[in-house]
Amino acid sequence: MPNKIISITFDFFRVGMGMNVARTFSELIHSIADSPDDDGRTRQVGEHHYHMHECEKRDMFWFGNITKIRMDEYVVKTKLSGQRNPVDLEEDEGIGRESAFAYNEYYNVIVLQRNKNTISSDSLAAYIEKVTKCFPLSLDIVLQKDALKKFESAENYKTVDIKIAKPDSGLFLGSAGETPEYVEKIMKMLDAPELELRLSVGRKKKRALSRSAVQNLGSKFLGRREYVEKLNVNGIELIDGVMSYSDKLNPDSAQGLSYEARWGLIKTAWSHHLPEIAQLFGGKT
């Protein structure tokens, strides 16, 4: 297998739980980890199925892997010479895309591996809701300190500019909530590969956009930022302010990154941002 450099990115989210959720987020993860690793852990969210595999307590984290199972995707194994062989799948099999995650209870922050083919933060929250039957849960993207200060200190929100790029096929915003779903439907209806949208008060300078609605919209779209090229509020580019960590490396096996390699990367990502996380949410480093 030729050397292949892959890029891996982790985003940081703050866990939100409804007032009627009696258990902590750690207890919810623990309950999944203690359950049999069989189809009882599989749940459908939107168009796809998800299954949490490895899940264990390591240091101050709950660490594990969750797989997005695509039942509508067909794969042909192809050599560089062009020789092709179909991958035969059983009726109950699909193509799995793994994501690693780690939850730190002390800061109530979860680190989640991100790319276009794996689970989104909204789908992860929905999956845990369905498995544990605890509602509602949310995973809200963490903004770095400077971006958060600028965003929250604005007296009023006057403009919101959004640019979205659609992938070649498949749903991409469908599990991110009503607003992203509606935007996706418009793009599909018009067969538009890109969408640019401006929301503003226009000439009514004394008016302002709904503060809570803008913050909610920002959280929803930033949670699917692999498809969002621009999210600008009052001239502040929020995409640049998202707390994330990226690295490039060689896979350690033909199947990609191993479980232990993902754990090592998450620890590096966490250490990189820990001083700022402590400043944002209080506590020790």
Side-chain angles (χ1 to χ4, degrees):
M1 179 178 178
N3 289 333
K4 178 184 178 183
I5 301 296
I6 65 171
S7 179
I8 188 167
T9 299
F10 295 95
D11 288 337
F12 291 70
F13 299 86
R14 184 83 160 163
V15 176
M17 304 182 70
M19 295 293 291
N20 60 334
V21 180
R23 292 184 284 173
T24 67
F25 193 74
S26 284
E27 289 171 338
L28 299 183
I29 296 294
H30 195 174
S31 68
I32 298 174
D34 281 350
S35 67
D37 189 4
D38 55 24
D39 59 2
R41 283 197 198 177
T42 302
R43 292 293 187 276
Q44 183 170 356
V45 178
E47 289 197 334
H48 303 297
H49 292 78
Y50 298 90
H51 186 100
M52 189 177 292
H53 292 279
E54 302 91 350
C55 186
E56 60 183 321
K57 193 72 182 289
R58 289 193 179 188
D59 301 333
M60 294 179 64
F61 298 92
W62 277 102
F63 169 65
N65 268 343
I66 186 163
T67 300
K68 178 179 183 179
I69 308 167
R70 298 185 61 103
M71 305 299 292
D72 59 347
E73 185 174 329
Y74 301 94
V75 176
V76 175
K77 185 168 64 174
T78 308
K79 291 186 176 182
L80 293 176
S81 63
Q83 181 181 345
R84 296 176 295 174
N85 293 294
V87 177
D88 295 324
L89 299 174
E90 300 293 333
E91 187 175 338
D92 63 345
E93 292 179 327
I95 303 302
R97 309 288 187 184
E98 286 188 326
S99 291
F101 70 90
Y103 172 67
N104 182 283
E105 184 175 21
Y106 185 82
Y107 292 106
N108 194 32
V109 169
I110 190 166
V111 187
L112 177 64
Q113 181 184 344
R114 169 180 59 84
N115 65 46
K116 294 182 180 180
N117 298 312
T118 55
I119 193 168
S120 69
S121 57
D122 292 280
S123 293
L124 178 57
Y127 168 83
I128 295 171
E129 285 178 338
K130 289 192 171 190
V131 175
T132 63
K133 297 181 173 60
C134 287
F135 304 85
L137 303 175
S138 65
L139 298 180
D140 302 316
I141 198 81
V142 176
L143 292 177
Q144 295 182 77
K145 189 176 179 180
D146 289 345
L148 182 65
K149 183 178 179 179
K150 291 178 182 178
F151 182 49
E152 293 188 340
S153 64
E155 183 176 351
N156 292 303
Y157 296 136
K158 300 289 188 178
T159 61
V160 178
D161 293 286
I162 304 169
K163 182 177 180 181
I164 297 168
K166 185 173 76 68
D168 293 335
S169 62
L171 294 176
F172 56 108
L173 296 173
S175 60
E178 290 183 5
T179 302
E181 282 185 4
Y182 183 68
V183 169
E184 181 175 2
K185 287 178 181 178
I186 294 174
M187 295 176 72
K188 290 183 67 177
M189 180 176 65
L190 299 177
D191 194 24
E194 289 187 354
L195 178 142
E196 290 194 61
L197 177 67
R198 160 161 276 220
L199 307 170
S200 76
V201 297
R203 297 179 180 179
K204 298 182 179 180
K205 301 300 182 183
K206 294 183 179 181
R207 294 189 59 178
L209 300 175
S210 166
R211 190 174 192 85
S212 61
V214 170
Q215 292 177 346
N216 185 50
L217 181 145
S219 179
K220 287 181 180 292
F221 277 106
L222 288 174
R224 301 309 311 273
R225 72 185 186 92
E226 62 267 35
Y227 304 111
V228 180
E229 295 185 356
K230 177 171 73 174
L231 181 55
N232 191 297
V233 178
N234 282 9
I236 304 166
E237 182 49 67
L238 298 183
I239 293 291
D240 296 337
V242 166
M243 183 176 287
S244 65
Y245 177 84
S246 297
D247 203 350
K248 292 183 177 181
L249 67 165
N250 286 306
D252 48 6
S253 75
Q255 286 72 44
L257 288 176
S258 68
Y259 185 62
E260 293 302 324
R262 294 169 194 263
W263 169 240
L265 284 168
I266 280 184
K267 289 197 296 182
T268 301
W270 181 262
S271 297
H272 181 79
H273 283 295
L274 179 55
E276 189 165 12
I277 290 171
Q279 287 183 354
L280 285 170
F281 305 122
K284 58 191 177 184
T285 58

